Amino acid sequence: MSDAAEVSRRNVLITGGVAAAAAPLLRGHRTGPALILRPETVAAPPPEQVHVQFGADAASQVAVSWAAAAAAARPRVRLGDAEHGFGRYEEAEERVYTEALTGEIVYTYHARLGFLAPDTEYVYEVLHDGAPPVAGTFRTGPRGRSRGFRFTSFGDQSIPAPVGLGLGPATANAGYIVDAVDALDPLFHLMNGDLCYANISDVPVATWASFFTNNMRSARYRPWMPTAGNHENEVANGPQGYLAYQTRFELPDNGSAQFRGNWYAFTVGPVRVLALNNDDVCLQDGGFSSYRRDHVPGYQANGDNPYITGYSQGLQRAWLEAELALARTSPEIDWIVVCMHQVAMSSAHFNGADLGIRQQFLPLFDAYGVDLVVAGHEHHFERTFPVRGVLPGSTVLTPAPRGSDPAEIDTRDGTVHMIIGGGGHSTPTPLSDFDVPHDGVLIVGVGPGSPQAQHPTITVTEPAPWSAYRDLRTPYGFASFDVTPVEHGGTTSITVTHYGAAAGSPGYAPLDQFVMRKPLGPEPRRAERRPERAGSAAR
Ligand SMILES: [Fe+2]
Ligand SMILES: [Fe+2]
């Protein structure tokens, strides 16, 4: 069979019929043999940990990334689609880093594919000379409001089984959740930070490998887009500890070579997604690892410091404001979604929310009408009413709710925040950490600390009228978001469903649902949003 015929046949399987009907065929296709079997030797290191990411324009740009145990010869991607066959090769860039703890060299490869057709299924092979290929597929995003789609999100996943000394978290649910997400066939998935907790492991490279190998059964078929949490801060791997994260992912350009990948944006249909790195603005000392302190060679002599608050010196915030201004005035964008790690509100005595986020980011979310924030860090599920501004008289910038209907929300009134931190960590937020009655918990500062001793957090409680729903009993879960770009009557909506599972259970059931809906077109309240909050943003 010719390559073109092979691609064409597979795409008939993949694209024929509605998504629901195609899913079993697609799944069968995934478990089948690689696209092209070659008789070559397997002496060379094979591609592993394959995953895809959207570029800045999801309708036309996708990156394929992978790792190898040693330097690969001629790393490249062979791309095909039903119309053109396997006519296209794209060379991959090699990016390498050395793990400061162990001295291991990690080889990663990234092939950037541009000029793709929107809303189109592609097949690809990852190739090294002398190694068997690894096949995958992806679908590009729709253009504009042409078609609805689904995305999913969770944070704080960890890995499915312990590695090394077992210092980092690992649960069966960290594996089960991959299948649960994949079964919903999302166009893409958002990972809200604390990906695999490599920073507290004695074997960080193996931890990353376990993470990508676990997620690969979904992430090589659909983008799993990350944001960096405090546990991506692996002190001594680069100036802020993010070198592994930055090297392993190929993310849209943010204009800064130094901070590439730490924050970025991409567009899918009428949705603009902004991924942020909250360690830049948080007051808490979240990246500290006593294992790295005690075992990274030269930790003290080199002045390594995991407390990185303010590291971008305002660069990220300036980028965010420019991006928000662009998105909010774009006639193409109806929804602005922020993906970040630490939270602006929480009603659990777990980590707590962080005042730094309220000072630096929330005024911008208010000024430019961010619709939705997805986060993690707190290892449970909670969501807010739309919030904008602060409660009168609040000294800690407690966000003010602008609605009281937990089921249907008009995000012209404010931003909905979601904590989706039940990805799989072995310590979910315990029931005893929730206040009754329902208070908010906020980190307002830190006590003395140093690179050798974590700064203790200083917390206060506050009223929590912003809290619309929290799940105290279901430790693990994720959310799905069904985007309907155009509805009868001239509205657009996103239907949100939270799926939860018991510890040790692969059964994820829908437990909570709400709808965000607003009219299409210019937002009548937009002008009202700007002045008062933009001025307070510099606090
Ligand atoms: Fe976490
Ligand atoms: Fe965290």
Side-chain angles (χ1 to χ4, degrees):
M1 186 182 289
S2 73
D3 290 351
E6 172 72 354
V7 171
S8 178
R9 188 185 67 78
R10 290 185 178 281
N11 275 275
V12 168
L13 290 180
I14 293 165
T15 60
V18 297
L25 295 173
L26 187 60
R27 213 141 276 122
H29 150 76
R30 289 175 183 187
T31 55
L35 291 183
I36 309 294
L37 294 173
R38 291 196 176 81
E40 290 152 350
T41 66
V42 291
E48 56 182 66
Q49 306 173 45
V50 179
H51 57 111
V52 297
Q53 300 115 122
F54 278 141
D57 175 20
S60 67
Q61 299 169 329
V62 167
V64 181
S65 299
W66 65 96
R74 286 217 306 149
R76 62 204 184 278
V77 160
R78 187 187 193 204
L79 183 70
D81 63 52
E83 196 178 336
H84 304 99
F86 265 120
R88 179 172 167 188
Y89 286 85
E90 207 67 55
E91 287 184 18
E93 175 194 5
E94 181 182 77
R95 293 211 300 258
V96 172
Y97 74 95
T98 300
E99 168 51 58
L101 178 69
T102 60
E104 293 162 278
I105 300 172
V106 176
Y107 296 88
T108 73
Y109 298 92
H110 308 275
R112 289 179 287 275
L113 308 170
F115 304 103
L116 303 171
D119 201 15
T120 299
E121 186 90 21
Y122 287 86
V123 293
Y124 66 88
E125 288 181 309
V126 174
L127 300 167
H128 299 165
D129 279 358
V134 174
T137 65
F138 61 79
R139 186 172 196 90
T140 52
R143 182 72 74 195
R145 303 179 181 92
S146 58
R147 186 175 69 82
F149 57 90
R150 170 181 291 161
F151 64 95
T152 49
S153 175
F154 64 70
D156 307 80
Q157 182 182 7
S158 79
I159 54 177
V163 294
L165 298 172
L167 302 177
T171 64
N173 286 83
Y176 297 149
I177 201 165
V178 179
D179 303 302
V181 161
D182 203 65
L184 294 184
D185 196 24
L187 181 62
F188 65 98
H189 175 70
L190 296 175
M191 296 188 280
N192 309 338
D194 282 4
L195 307 178
C196 61
Y197 298 84
N199 80 320
I200 53 175
S201 173
D202 59 307
V203 286
V205 173
T207 304
W208 278 108
S210 172
F211 171 78
F212 280 114
T213 302
N214 178 43
N215 290 353
M216 175 173 161
R217 61 188 184 278
S218 181
R220 84 173 138 148
Y221 302 108
R222 60 189 89 250
W224 280 48
M225 304 296 288
T227 195
N230 51 302
H231 285 284
E232 276 63 68
N233 175 353
E234 300 165 278
V235 72
N237 285 348
Q240 289 82 38
Y242 291 124
L243 187 57
Y245 172 86
Q246 292 176 308
T247 306
R248 288 173 173 275
F249 289 101
E250 173 60 33
L251 298 166
D253 188 15
N254 62 14
S256 163
Q258 186 183 3
F259 301 129
R260 185 179 170 90
N262 290 20
W263 52 87
Y264 63 90
F266 63 101
T267 299
V268 189
V271 178
R272 184 73 168 161
V273 179
L274 308 179
L276 302 178
N277 178 227
N278 282 358
D279 280 303
D280 188 20
V281 301
C282 278
L283 305 176
Q284 61 200 276
D285 185 1
F288 184 81
S289 161
S290 54
Y291 191 87
R292 289 185 83 84
R293 176 197 61 195
D294 296 341
H295 295 89
V296 167
Y299 182 104
Q300 200 161 350
N302 296 334
D304 291 324
N305 188 353
Y307 191 56
I308 57 172
T309 299
Y311 74 83
S312 88
Q313 299 183 318
L315 198 63
Q316 178 176 206
R317 193 180 169 285
W319 173 91
L320 172 63
E321 178 151 29
E323 282 290 334
L324 286 172
L326 211 58
R328 196 35 90 202
T329 52
S330 166
E332 314 285 316
I333 301 299
D334 297 320
W335 298 96
I336 301 177
V337 175
V338 167
C339 177
M340 62 190 204
H341 181 61
Q342 295 93 334
V343 299
M345 285 155 278
S346 173
S347 67
H349 289 266
F350 192 68
N351 293 298
D354 197 293
L355 181 60
I357 301 169
R358 295 183 182 180
Q359 293 170 322
Q360 297 287 327
F361 287 163
L362 259 52
L364 296 179
F365 296 174
D366 284 352
Y368 296 100
V370 169
D371 297 283
L372 172 68
V373 173
V374 294
H377 196 52
E378 303 288 87
H379 295 168
H380 64 271
F381 179 70
E382 181 165 22
R383 63 179 173 90
T384 73
F385 295 114
V387 298
R388 188 200 303 159
V390 301
L391 286 180
S394 172
T395 57
V396 289
L397 305 177
T398 304
R402 300 291 177 179
S404 57
D405 182 352
E408 173 135 354
I409 290 170
D410 185 335
T411 54
R412 290 176 304 168
D413 294 334
T415 307
V416 172
H417 290 246
M418 297 178 69
I419 299 172
I420 320 168
H425 192 289
S426 40
T427 306
T429 304
L431 185 58
S432 59
D433 280 8
F434 291 97
D435 272 337
V436 180
H438 199 152
D439 286 333
V441 180
L442 180 71
I443 297 167
V444 295
V446 293
S450 73
Q452 282 75 46
Q454 186 171 28
H455 300 70
T457 54
I458 300 167
T459 60
V460 299
T461 57
E462 62 177 354
W466 38 260
S467 183
Y469 174 86
R470 58 182 187 172
D471 186 330
L472 308 187
R473 301 198 171 273
T474 312
Y476 298 114
F478 66 95
S480 79
F481 302 82
D482 292 314
V483 180
T484 305
V486 182
E487 296 179 313
H488 294 301
T491 54
T492 176
S493 73
I494 300 180
T495 299
V496 185
T497 308
H498 183 248
Y499 293 80
S505 168
Y508 286 75
L511 299 175
D512 175 45
Q513 190 168 71
F514 69 100
V515 180
M516 298 182 293
R517 175 173 286 118
K518 60 184 180 179
L520 276 170
E523 299 190 11
R525 296 195 184 187
R526 199 178 305 149
E528 184 187 310
R529 278 191 181 128
R530 279 177 194 276
E532 103 196 65
R533 300 290 289 153
S536 63
R539 283 179 295 203

